[in-house]
Amino acid sequence: MKTHDLLAIGLMTFALFLGAGNLIFPPSLGLEAGTNLFPAMVGFLITAVGLPALTLVVLGRLSSTQNLTNPLPKWLARTFWILLFTAIGPAFGMPRAITVAYEIGIKPFVNSDHLLLFSIIFSAVTLLLAFKPGHLVDYIGKIMTPLLIFMLVALACAAIFSPLGIPQAPSFDYQQDAITHGLIQGYMTMDAIAAVGFGWVIIQAINAKGITVPRAVANTACKVAIIYAVLMTGCYVAMGYVGATSAPVAANATNGGEILAKYVAGQFGIYGQWLLATIIVMACLTTTVGLTNACAEYYKQTFKTRFPVTAIIVVTLTGIIANLGLEQILTVSLPAILVLCPVAIALVLTSFVLPSLTLSNTSFTHVVVLFTALLFGGIDALNILEKTPDNIHSLFLQALPLYNAHASWLLPCLLILGGSYLKAIKKPMSVDIIN
């Protein structure tokens, strides 16, 4: 693959992930971490960048995203993909992108509610860009992403060379366990589950450049993951530093969006507000285009549906649900996302640990890992949503490793994978001894 094509796919991948949530989490972390920004950011990057990058590498090794669930029974594999694409697509991810783009990018400049009109226009532009999936690399990777990066660099340079303040003392959470809290915040971006969905778009983009041999796909996906990781790390570090130096203007801010809005207003005035609005709207647009493409591509490959028909249905549902409001969307859809995230990561880890075994050998392990992640992911979801009864919550705090970090599913899944791996490598050894 030519260098400029590889770079374009890498830029497209970065833009697909760069939604409003990715711009809002780091400033909040930076403001709270203060002088402990470095250790907090290290933890954040491990889970917010490391997990998605690992997912892209694993999907590249599989050479087809659908191979991630091939060891599962067909009904279970299809159930997983349908739930995943429904959750990150029209039920939650895409409507959230529209509402966040409106709340931060448009609402500050208007006097009345124009969410309906905005959602119609935004959905129409999303559909227009998604209708030609073969041109996705050109639209996003070669045009929109460079503009996004240019605007983010302008914001970062202002924070570095003309900061509004200096990092303050860290909040209570970040005084002793800055790395741990950074890990948790990075995990909560849930980009790992987005990576599983975007894998359909990225592998297709690689194939479209004539790269179809499995080994070549794996190598290209690895390079794409590196480009994504470098760019996203730079973005997160810059936005974290913006938050850490924003105390004079955003000390009482309640979320990252408010921190960013106050910072750019203090740094650039009205022009900063327009800059932030453009960044947010473009970031959300690239995400909705990528998710539309991923959803439509899955249904096209699995159920032989026509790409335009699926894209229209997905975008139409997105526009309707977006008008329910961000709070209602979060209330209804967040529990499903919180449960699906550990399941998706567990399947990726299984394919990473057991890549060379036959499907018959790994099918049982995949099923056991999936249901283990589902069970403990449900427990973590109840904890995050603060729905666990107090007595059971206290018991889990004492008896369940990583429960307080919202990752109680991780150790049981790793134990299952470790046992399966040891069992797998012992079988060939016993055969060699007999021979």
Side-chain angles (χ1 to χ4, degrees):
M1 179 182 291
K2 296 180 181 178
T3 302
H4 70 273
D5 287 330
L6 176 64
L7 182 60
I9 295 176
L11 291 173
M12 179 195 74
T13 302
F14 166 71
L16 293 180
F17 281 96
L18 187 65
N22 304 85
L23 296 173
I24 290 172
F25 269 100
S28 181
L29 177 143
L31 181 61
E32 291 188 44
T35 53
N36 278 344
L37 174 63
F38 178 76
M41 186 56 66
V42 168
F44 184 86
L45 293 175
I46 289 173
T47 47
V49 177
L51 282 177
L54 174 64
T55 300
L56 296 179
V57 171
V58 171
L59 294 177
R61 289 171 61 181
L62 296 173
S63 74
S64 171
T65 308
Q66 195 145 9
N67 286 339
L68 183 69
T69 54
N70 273 351
L72 298 174
K74 182 179 289 187
W75 69 269
L76 187 57
R78 287 189 174 180
T79 300
F80 167 77
W81 285 115
I82 290 172
L83 289 176
L84 182 141
F85 281 119
T86 300
I88 67 174
F92 175 72
M94 292 173 63
R96 184 185 68 167
I98 291 179
T99 53
V100 168
Y102 175 76
E103 291 288 336
I104 299 178
I106 303 299
K107 194 172 182 180
F109 302 99
V110 297
N111 296 322
S112 56
D113 186 9
H114 295 289
L115 177 59
L116 176 60
L117 176 62
F118 176 78
S119 63
I120 292 173
I121 296 173
F122 196 95
S123 297
V125 175
T126 296
L127 198 59
L128 182 65
L129 294 176
F131 257 179
K132 295 183 178 180
H135 294 261
L136 204 62
V137 174
D138 295 325
Y139 291 147
I140 297 179
K142 297 181 180 179
I143 300 174
M144 297 175 72
T145 310
L147 289 174
L148 262 177
I149 292 176
F150 175 78
M151 289 184 286
L152 289 171
V153 167
L155 184 57
C157 288
I160 294 171
F161 297 108
S162 181
L164 295 179
I166 59 174
Q168 304 296 304
S171 65
F172 177 78
D173 287 340
Y174 289 91
Q175 288 176 6
Q176 300 295 330
D177 301 312
I179 292 181
T180 300
H181 283 281
L183 286 166
I184 294 172
Q185 291 301 309
Y187 174 73
M188 289 303 293
T189 64
M190 299 184 192
D191 271 359
I193 191 173
V196 175
F198 286 141
W200 291 81
V201 180
I202 296 164
I203 298 298
Q204 182 197 42
I206 293 173
N207 294 157
K209 297 300 179 181
I211 308 297
T212 56
V213 177
R215 183 179 293 275
V217 172
N219 290 337
T220 305
C222 185
K223 294 175 183 177
V224 168
I226 292 173
I227 296 172
Y228 150 78
V230 170
L231 291 174
M232 192 60 79
T233 296
C235 175
Y236 281 148
V237 171
M239 293 301 102
Y241 188 73
V242 165
T245 57
S246 65
V249 294
N252 298 319
T254 57
N255 58 68
E258 189 177 349
I259 293 170
L260 270 181
K262 291 184 176 181
Y263 192 93
V264 296
Q267 189 73 261
F268 301 105
I270 185 64
Y271 298 105
Q273 292 177 294
W274 282 106
L275 174 66
L276 179 62
T278 305
I279 291 173
I280 293 294
V281 171
M282 285 187 65
C284 290
L285 181 61
T286 56
T287 299
T288 56
V289 172
L291 288 172
T292 300
N293 195 281
C295 291
E297 189 63 33
Y298 167 71
Y299 281 99
K300 175 185 174 183
Q301 291 189 22
T302 306
F303 300 104
K304 310 303 179 185
T305 59
R306 293 179 60 205
F307 187 98
V309 173
T310 306
I312 290 172
I313 294 173
V314 168
V315 172
T316 301
L317 288 174
T318 296
I320 294 172
I321 294 173
N323 282 274
L324 297 176
L326 183 59
E327 185 176 343
Q328 187 67 22
I329 294 170
L330 290 172
T331 301
V332 174
S333 302
L334 186 57
I337 291 285
L338 293 174
V339 174
L340 279 170
C341 192
V343 172
I345 298 174
L347 287 174
V348 170
L349 290 175
T350 304
S351 296
F352 180 72
V353 174
L354 308 173
S356 59
L357 304 180
T358 62
L359 296 183
S360 60
N361 286 337
T362 62
S363 179
F364 178 76
T365 301
H366 275 73
V367 172
V368 173
V369 167
L370 185 149
F371 281 105
T372 301
L374 184 64
L375 172 62
F376 287 95
I379 293 174
D380 288 331
L382 291 174
N383 182 24
I384 294 169
L385 297 170
E386 299 181 348
K387 299 295 184 180
T388 308
D390 291 340
N391 57 336
I392 298 178
H393 177 71
S394 300
L395 176 63
F396 284 159
L397 280 174
Q398 297 175 3
L400 203 55
L402 300 178
Y403 173 75
N404 204 35
H406 312 311
S408 62
W409 60 271
L410 182 59
L411 187 57
C413 289
L414 290 179
L415 289 174
I416 294 170
L417 289 177
S420 297
Y421 181 77
L422 291 175
K423 182 180 178 181
I425 62 176
K426 284 180 179 179
K427 283 185 177 181
M429 291 175 60
S430 62
V431 173
D432 291 338
I433 292 173
I434 293 172
N435 291 337

